[in-house]
């Protein structure tokens, strides 16, 4: 369904991105914390470090010029004075803070009586009237101010249907969904802030219980449905492609790889389709695991498909898998087929015929693999690389490719964006997870530096050094949302700049608008080591494997998401040479980076561990945003914590089967309320 999004305001778009569409979604968007604006503190009673609200009159206001322009405002509340210091401000601030203005100011007091200060406090005109409830602070995102979000949430709360879905015998005497939500959106000031913030308050318990129940219900439904499905049983056989591949590999599998191969092999032998997510950090060696799974499938006489999100990545898989498997398959009269975007009609038809006859035991490609015209003779295993880049529809299409006796193929989904354990358990309704938690030996961790754009020249000099040592370099240009054209201008300018600065070096350019064949040609030059520097927009984001590349420069790193930065960094450090990643940042007109951008770059500098990165990402963004819009319908736990709330989880686990059997209508309403209209997607 096409939705006209051109008329959306930025705030509306931000609401949509947070998954806040229905009134109930807004009503269930609960505060992260609260601010107590119900009290005014006298300045004379404050101490260094106190976070307080004061009511005062502006008695002085000046702009201090200099490299860090500041707005300095002095206020007096009758008991003492305080200096308010602002580094970024607009004319509207000055106006609101003109001498004589009565304002309420909230912030942390620094300094004692030698001179009190507040740095960037919040302020508003003092109307004389104080709120009677604590002020909720909601999780939000860029472009969505608290004030707008607050109004939207209250409107949602007023309109949402909050009738009971819990069976009567388990309803709580005091806290219905309605009373719990009313309370959490405007708690009275007497309640302990601590109980609210650590979520131990009964109103929170009620919501966590509801949430866990929704999760258990949807998982159980999906499990019951999956138990009904059938898939070919693929038994590992000795002495065939699988063993041949193991023997031919130039390295030994890591312990973690052996473990996940065993988990997958056990699934493939079952008569129910495997739905398994294989997660492993960038460079952990997922491809060979996929190849071994494919080998088991082909040994059993069935076909396997591998789908990757970009032409470059799919092509790279094809080359690697052909290297490994072609000789082994040829000996058995079968082969491996390529399905890409730029194929000629005749070529395409020949490939389709090989797939239909079953001669192509393994089919590698992009989205081309799921087109209707692609008819497998007997598909038993589908592997999806970088699965988070695909939508639900594509997974469903793959599952439909085994049209035979009501069977479905086994599904192996791979991702380099590790999902923290608690999220993984509730990520898809019913998905098994295998994790490669060990890198192949001999890797040196990538050293990461966060560097101001002002020192760009030094970075270019560093590139020269790497090239002289025979290494190669990636330079990634910023992604400016929804403006491919601007991206391209930037990338082209950087390409010209580096070509000038590095005479005699082949500098390549790769961007999203190039034809597949052009991209392939550029990538081939880089892979073969003929090209020293590759400037690109984020098309290299996933999976590219060039072990000789040892330096990754990311321009305007502050604009990238954390997992994207981590993925990009994973393109280097793949060989034995020491590798580095330079995160160039610019603050624009602002005196410094925003808080979340700073937190992201700091996380990158402090760790190379993908799980730690994922954990911090979750912390910075909150789970709603963590998986991106595409998957925001997944049954994420927003409030409950599987470990902390073990007792509630046990309650939900016991209730779910009873409720599904005895009150299927209530169960359905409950799941729909919590997980939206997307519950059916969770099965994919
Ligand atoms: P990713 O998990 O990011 O997809 P790849 O499968 O591309 O990682 O593997 C990264 C590199 O490590 C490849 O060059 C691959 O051949 C190599 N590799 C994989 N497993 C091992 C291993 N056990 N020992 C040494 N090298 C390995
Ligand atoms: Mg990969």
């Amino acid at each position: 369904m096409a939705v006209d999004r051109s008329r959306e305001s930025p705030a509306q778009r931000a609401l949509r991105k947070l998954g806040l569409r229905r009134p109930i979604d807004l009503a269930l968007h609960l505060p992260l914390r609260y601010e107590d604006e119900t009290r005014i503190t006298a300045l004379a009673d404050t101490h260094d470090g106190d976070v307080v609200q004061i009511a005062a009159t502006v008695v002085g206001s000046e702009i201090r010029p200099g490299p860090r322009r500041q707005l300095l405002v002095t206020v007096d509340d009758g008991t003492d004075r305080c200096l308010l210091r602002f580094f970024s401000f607009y004319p509207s601030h000055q106006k609101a803070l003109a001498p004589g203005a009565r304002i309420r100011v909230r912030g942390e007091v620094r300094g004692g009586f030698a001179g009190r200060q507040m740095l960037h406090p919040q302020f508003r005109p003092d109307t004389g009237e104080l709120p009677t409830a604590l002020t909720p602070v909601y999780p939000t995102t860029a472009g969505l101010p608290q004030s707008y979000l607050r109004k939207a949430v209250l409107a949602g709360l007023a309109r949402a249907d909050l009738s009971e879905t819990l069976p009567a015998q388990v309803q709580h005497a005091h806290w219905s969904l309605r009373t719990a939500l009313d309370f959490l959106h405007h708690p009275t000031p007497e309640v302990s802030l601590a109980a609210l913030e650590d979520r131990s308050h009964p109103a929170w318990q009620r919501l966590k219980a509801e949430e866990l129940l929704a999760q258990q219900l949807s998982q159980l439904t999906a499990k019951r449905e999956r138990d009904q499905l059938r898939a070919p049983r693929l038994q590992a056989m000795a002495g065939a492609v699988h063993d041949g591949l193991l023997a031919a590999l130039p390295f030994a599998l890591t312990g973690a790889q052996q473990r996940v191969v065993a988990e997958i092999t056990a699934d493939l032998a079952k008569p129910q389709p495997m739905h398994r997510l294989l997660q492993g950090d960038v460079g952990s060696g997922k491809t060979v695991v996929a190849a071994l799974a494919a080998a088991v499938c082909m040994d059993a006489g069935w076909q396997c498909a591998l789908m990757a999100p970009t032409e470059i990545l799919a092509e790279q898989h094809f080359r690697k898998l052909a290297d490994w498997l072609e000789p082994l398959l040829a000996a058995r009269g079968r082969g491996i087929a390529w399905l890409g975007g730029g194929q000629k009609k005749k070529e395409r038809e020949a490939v389709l015929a090989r797939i239909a006859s079953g001669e192509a035991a393994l089919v590698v490609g992009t989205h081309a693999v799921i087109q209707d015209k692609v008819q497998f003779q007997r598909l038993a295993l589908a592997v999806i690389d970088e699965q988070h880049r695909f939508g639900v529809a594509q997974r469903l299409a793959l599952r439909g490719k085994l049209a035979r006796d009501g069977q479905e193929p086994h599904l192996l989904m791979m991702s380099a964006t590790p999902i923290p354990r608690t999220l993984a358990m509730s990520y898809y309704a019913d998905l098994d997870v295998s994790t490669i938690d060990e890198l192949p030996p001999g890797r040196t961790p990538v050293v990461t530096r966060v560097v101001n754009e002002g020192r760009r020249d030094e970075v270019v000099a560093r590139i020269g050094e790497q090239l002289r040592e025979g290494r190669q370099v990636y330079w990634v240009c910023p992604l400016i949302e929804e403006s491919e054209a601007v991206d391209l201008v930037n990338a082209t300018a950087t390409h010209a700049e580096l070509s000038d600065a590095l005479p005699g070096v082949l500098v390549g350019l790769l961007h999203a608008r190039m034809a597949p064949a052009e991209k392939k040609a550029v990538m081939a030059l880089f892979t073969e080591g003929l090209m020293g520097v590759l400037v690109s927009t984020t098309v290299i984001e996933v999976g590219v494997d060039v072990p000789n590349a040892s330096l990754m420069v990311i321009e305007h790193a502050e604009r990238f998401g954390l997992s994207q930065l981590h993925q990009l960094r994973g393109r280097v450090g793949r060989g034995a040479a020491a590798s580095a990643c330079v995160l160039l940042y610019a603050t624009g007109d602002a005196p410094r980076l925003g808080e979340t951008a700073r937190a992201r770059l700091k996380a990158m500098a402090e760790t190379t561990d993908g799980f730690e990165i994922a954990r911090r990402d979750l912390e910075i963004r909150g789970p709603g945003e963590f998986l991106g819009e595409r998957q925001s319908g997944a049954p994420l736990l927003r409030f409950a914590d599987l470990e902390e709330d073990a007792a509630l989880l046990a309650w939900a686990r016991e209730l779910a089967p009873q409720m599904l059997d005895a009150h299927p209508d209530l169960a359905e309403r409950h799941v729909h309320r919590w997980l939206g209209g997307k519950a059916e997607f969770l099965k994919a």
Side-chain angles (χ1 to χ4, degrees), residues 251-254 257 281-288 320 324 440-441 443 545 574:
F251 48 75
L253 295 186
T254 62
Q257 284 171 320
D281 209 344
V282 277
S284 62
K286 294 184 289 297
T287 314
V288 69
K320 187 161 248 173
W324 284 339
R443 302 270 170 87
D545 189 27
R574 304 197 141 218

Side-chain angles (χ1 to χ4, degrees), residues 287 317 385-386 543:
T287 314
H317 280 315
D385 195 16
E386 308 292 346

Side-chain angles (χ1 to χ4, degrees), residues 336-359:
I336 156 169
W338 164 251
L339 267 181
Q343 275 169 323
K344 302 233 161 52
K345 190 157 181 249
K346 232 169 143 192
E347 203 184 335
R348 167 66 60 102
E349 272 162 12
V351 175
L352 291 179
R354 290 176 57 208
I355 298 171
S357 74
E359 185 270 327

